[in-house]
Amino acid sequence: MAQINVVDVVPGISWIEIPEADLRILCGCPADSVKHLMRRGLIRPATVAGTHCETGPNVILLSDVMVQNGAFCNLAEFPVLQMLYRQGMILPGHPNNTGRKPLLMGRPDDRSRLRLS
């Protein structure tokens, strides 16, 4: 049976990791979510095949509501940029560029704003 690790990062941000399935899910992405993940050690420097990069999420679960308590809930742009560039998912010749793209989960009308194609 697969081990599932759940970390409550800060209110509004959770981290779910399923190592056996190579899934690292960022649940909720308000402002500064990348900073909070770095402070908790969930995003950290790494070296893959001699190339420096970072660890981090490969899936983002978007909130069902756009605004909560006067703050925007789905600011996925920075986590997606962290995945594409700092993890190396989009960099030509990078060992983490395997053709997999970050996965966005949520309501279809929310995901359509953030197409990765």
Side-chain angles (χ1 to χ4, degrees):
M1 180 152 184
Q3 180 181 2
I4 299 174
N5 302 315
V6 179
V7 177
D8 290 323
V9 180
V10 295
I13 302 175
S14 295
W15 175 269
I16 300 174
E17 187 171 7
I18 308 168
E20 200 171 275
D22 190 31
L23 284 177
R24 296 168 309 280
I25 305 169
L26 169 62
C27 301
C29 49
D32 299 330
S33 57
V34 171
K35 175 182 76 173
H36 292 298
L37 292 176
M38 288 178 158
R39 284 186 178 168
R40 290 295 300 264
L42 299 168
I43 293 177
R44 58 188 173 278
T47 303
V48 177
T51 303
H52 297 290
C53 59
E54 290 182 350
T55 65
N58 55 6
V59 178
I60 297 174
L61 175 61
L62 300 172
S63 174
D64 285 343
V65 295
M66 296 302 293
V67 178
Q68 188 173 12
N69 294 331
F72 291 109
C73 296
N74 290 328
L75 299 175
E77 293 83 357
F78 291 110
V80 168
L81 288 172
Q82 189 274 341
M83 289 187 252
L84 294 175
Y85 293 102
R86 296 182 68 134
Q87 289 185 42
M89 293 175 120
I90 199 171
L91 300 175
H94 194 284
N96 280 343
N97 185 353
T98 61
R100 285 179 55 184
K101 291 183 181 179
L103 178 64
L104 297 176
M105 298 187 312
R107 292 183 9 207
D109 56 328
D110 290 341
R111 288 192 326 255
S112 65
R113 300 180 305 106
L114 302 166
R115 293 244 184 256
L116 297 175
S117 53

